[in-house]
Amino acid sequence: MRASRLIAGTLAGVTTLTLIGACGQQIAAAVEPKLELRNAVQKLADAEQAGFTLKVTGSADDLAAALKASGEEVSADGEDRMAMDALFASSFTISYDKAGEGTADDRGSLAATISGVTGTEIRWVDAVLYAKMPVQDVIKKVGATDADFADLRKEVTAMPGVIDFVDGDWVKVTADQLGEFAEGGFGVPTDDLESEKLTAEVIAGATNLLEGATITRDSADETHLIATSSTAKAYTETKRLVTAVDPGLAGDLGEAPADKPITLDLWIEDGELTAAELNVLQFVDGATGRVAARLEVATGEKIEAPADAKQIDLKQFADTAGA
């Protein structure tokens, strides 16, 4: 399925929602009219630990109808429906732990639920990357059988680290090894990861998006704030951000949607930002219903290195994954 406008809307939603949690002072300045929101965001930005779960909520039927409204061909069942069901059954939780003064000892984790299967996680602790995945359960979701898994396991039995990963155990690799892996032609070379430039683009895009937006309170729910901006501004800032990440991807966003108001929903309870949500169907002309990118904010906790993680040979792992 290719739905450029829906993709553009989703990217704008993810960008906006993520930045509300990640760029405290800059976002707070953009939503100055609501002191409550400003204080809640600042409180989140000052937290030593925090977590954010990103998911898609709403109706698969509404999503299918929106794709059809945008000119896409969508089957009511089969692969299209499986892909949509997998989308609604997946989520990602990003957590951080400042761990002390400065950024050198900062820790982070990314946990994923993949089509309803929990247990996939990546952690970064003291310059070591840890990872695990319930491989057998995940590959079953894409049609693999127990026999297929048995064949895979047989292929990697003699590979330390790789067999542990396939069995669902924690594995680890150091930052130095990751650098060597990149220099060897695998993954993205570290020199190409201009994180400071990208961060600046992200902050600028989010600030521009919320600048000038009107913010009102839901009369039926005092914890619910509604920010109103425009599709044109969201599309412009999304395209600028995507161009900063990879200029070649900008063309995949398609044409800008018709300019109209869009709303971003935020929830604040006891002075803390608890959730933010953007209905991405606002970006699809003729679409109705609701399919939303939702960010839920959770209380953070200390991120520790998992015990008994096995060392993995990245070159060996890449060769196996490719096979």
Side-chain angles (χ1 to χ4, degrees):
M1 298 180 292
R2 296 187 69 253
S4 299
R5 293 179 182 178
L6 186 60
I7 291 171
T10 302
L11 287 172
V14 170
T15 300
T16 305
L17 301 183
T18 303
L19 287 165
I20 287 171
C23 307
Q25 293 180 334
Q26 292 84 354
I27 303 303
V31 294
E32 182 65 27
K34 282 294 179 181
L35 181 60
E36 182 182 16
L37 180 56
R38 178 182 183 180
N39 291 342
V41 172
Q42 188 61 56
K43 185 176 182 179
L44 179 60
D46 292 339
E48 291 297 314
Q49 295 102 16
F52 312 92
T53 297
L54 183 64
K55 62 178 69 174
V56 177
T57 65
S59 164
D61 291 334
D62 287 346
L63 176 57
L67 291 169
K68 290 178 180 178
S70 65
E72 305 297 332
E73 294 184 5
V74 183
S75 61
D77 50 23
E79 291 186 3
D80 289 348
R81 188 67 188 203
M82 288 177 60
M84 288 187 286
D85 289 343
L87 175 66
F88 285 99
S90 300
S91 64
F92 298 90
T93 298
I94 303 170
S95 304
Y96 67 83
D97 176 5
K98 294 182 180 178
E101 297 296 329
T103 60
D105 57 355
D106 285 359
R107 301 177 175 189
S109 74
L110 170 63
T113 296
I114 303 172
S115 194
V117 178
T118 61
T120 297
E121 186 176 354
I122 296 172
R123 294 184 193 176
W124 178 258
V125 180
D126 299 333
V128 178
L129 183 73
Y130 300 86
K132 70 168 183 173
M133 174 186 285
V135 174
Q136 184 173 15
D137 293 334
V138 170
I139 65 175
K140 278 186 176 181
K141 287 292 183 178
V142 295
T145 65
D146 289 337
D148 293 329
F149 177 75
D151 289 341
L152 170 63
R153 203 177 177 284
K154 183 178 180 180
E155 291 292 330
V156 302
T157 298
M159 301 179 180
V162 177
I163 181 60
D164 299 287
F165 183 80
V166 169
D167 283 344
D169 297 327
W170 281 102
V171 297
K172 64 181 179 180
V173 60
T174 65
D176 290 342
Q177 290 171 316
L178 284 171
E180 293 173 0
F181 186 66
E183 291 172 2
F186 300 92
V188 180
T190 53
D191 291 344
D192 290 345
L193 299 177
E194 301 180 57
S195 58
E196 291 185 7
K197 177 183 177 182
L198 179 57
T199 299
E201 293 286 352
V202 166
I203 292 172
T207 302
N208 291 342
L209 183 60
L210 289 179
E211 191 173 83
T214 59
I215 302 175
T216 58
R217 189 182 299 278
D218 184 350
S219 60
D221 181 0
E222 65 178 10
T223 69
H224 180 203
L225 300 182
I226 303 169
T228 303
S229 185
S230 72
T231 53
K233 181 174 288 188
Y235 178 86
T236 298
E237 296 306 325
T238 299
K239 189 167 185 177
R240 193 169 67 81
L241 175 61
V242 171
T243 301
V245 175
D246 185 347
L249 294 176
D252 292 338
L253 295 179
E255 298 179 357
D259 193 19
K260 58 183 179 181
I262 58 169
T263 59
L264 170 67
D265 298 280
L266 307 106
W267 286 266
I268 298 175
E269 297 183 26
D270 299 325
E272 296 186 351
L273 181 67
T274 59
E277 192 170 288
L278 182 75
N279 182 11
V280 299
L281 298 191
Q282 297 175 98
F283 294 86
V284 183
D285 296 337
T288 59
R290 187 173 185 85
V291 175
R294 178 175 176 84
L295 183 79
E296 297 176 349
V297 183
T299 302
E301 58 185 21
K302 191 171 183 180
I303 297 173
E304 302 280 7
D308 302 323
K310 305 297 191 299
Q311 188 69 46
I312 194 168
D313 184 322
L314 283 180
K315 177 62 167 59
Q316 197 175 55
F317 177 74
D319 291 344
T320 304

